[in-house]
Amino acid sequence: MDETEFDIPAAMAESVRSRAGAWALVRGFAAYWGEPLGPGDGFTDAELDAAERRLGLRLPVALREAYRLFGRRADLTSNQDVLLTPDELHVLDGALVYRAENQGCAHWGVPLDGLDREDPPTVFRLDLADKAQERWEPWDERFSAAAAAMALMEKLLEDHELTDVLEWDEELPDGLDELPALGRNFRWYQGPEVLVGVAEEAWVVVRARTPQALDAFYGVVPGESPEE
């Protein structure tokens, strides 16, 4: 895919305006930074209908759209944390849980009282030693925006020779352009053939399109060059 065919700043800006924009971002991003989405990359309506029958509730439109579009694409959903399969969806203390931290230390969900909205808000819950202290906290105002941010960050966290995770040192190198905000606690930057995500002001993850681009990034940020 030619670089001019995917304008990530425009796609990210549109993703926070509508579900259609969020899914267009995921499509363009998947094609440019990996493999284009295909018909087999999502779950079927029959699988989602079965989940609704099992749970006794209706899944929000945005959730169904995301699962149908890229729910089976592990590179966009499950490199660090895990998007639950339809038969793993479950209810916990007033929320439909759809995603889990890789060691079960946290969960993401949709409040049950928001399931009737096409693109409902999402919530987040830490798994604490004192269960009485656990609470659902607001995460993202729209499921589609949370899902798009998930796809970008999970792809950046893919075990790949052109990715790396660095410690956050409160300063990023010159030559990076900040991208539109997407997802809670995330900031995004673009440089020459590199995409950078900053998570919770704690760590930085970079994905390059070529070894040369990653080496150039290492030239201005401490890190180890990929093995020859």
Side-chain angles (χ1 to χ4, degrees):
M1 186 176 191
D2 187 81
E3 184 173 358
T4 60
E5 294 180 32
F6 182 51
D7 184 345
I8 192 169
M12 290 182 72
E14 187 60 33
S15 72
V16 300
R17 301 190 184 106
S18 67
R19 299 196 323 271
W23 309 147
L25 170 63
V26 174
R27 288 189 187 93
F29 174 80
Y32 187 66
W33 289 96
E35 295 294 331
L37 294 177
D41 288 341
F43 291 97
T44 66
D45 281 318
E47 290 170 303
L48 296 168
D49 291 344
E52 289 186 335
R53 291 192 297 271
R54 175 177 59 83
L55 294 165
L57 51 76
R58 295 297 299 274
L59 300 177
V61 172
L63 187 146
R64 291 185 67 105
E65 289 175 343
Y67 271 72
R68 288 200 311 258
L69 181 63
F70 65 100
R72 292 185 182 275
R73 279 285 293 267
D75 61 318
L76 301 174
T77 64
S78 302
N79 284 307
Q80 173 68 22
D81 303 319
V82 180
L83 181 71
L84 303 185
T85 62
D87 60 0
E88 293 173 329
L89 293 170
H90 61 277
V91 172
L92 175 64
D93 290 347
L96 174 66
V97 179
Y98 68 88
R99 190 177 181 217
E101 194 269 342
N102 66 78
Q103 295 181 329
C105 296
H107 295 84
W108 289 262
V110 176
L112 295 184
D113 60 9
L115 293 182
D116 59 343
R117 297 171 58 175
E118 290 190 351
D119 200 358
T122 59
V123 289
F124 173 79
R125 179 187 182 112
L126 289 172
D127 182 23
L128 304 175
D130 183 356
K131 298 302 180 183
Q133 297 299 314
E134 291 186 6
R135 298 285 188 277
W136 286 110
E137 303 290 345
W139 183 253
D140 212 312
E141 294 182 357
R142 294 189 302 111
F143 176 88
S144 61
M150 171 190 70
L152 268 63
M153 186 54 73
E154 291 296 326
K155 187 65 176 179
L156 264 62
L157 289 166
E158 185 177 26
D159 183 9
H160 192 281
E161 63 181 0
L162 297 180
T163 67
D164 199 4
V165 179
L166 309 172
E167 291 186 2
W168 168 246
D169 63 0
E170 299 184 359
E171 185 175 353
L172 289 171
D174 295 334
L176 293 179
D177 297 322
E178 187 164 6
L179 295 167
L182 178 66
R184 179 181 169 183
N185 296 338
F186 292 146
R187 290 189 290 118
W188 310 90
Y189 299 85
Q190 181 178 232
E193 295 194 298
V194 298
L195 183 63
V196 178
V198 178
E200 300 180 351
E201 305 299 327
W203 43 272
V204 178
V205 58
V206 58
R207 174 69 178 251
R209 285 178 57 80
T210 66
Q212 293 78 16
L214 189 59
D215 282 341
F217 183 82
Y218 285 139
V220 288
V221 174
E224 297 181 359
S225 297
E227 296 181 358
E228 297 295 339

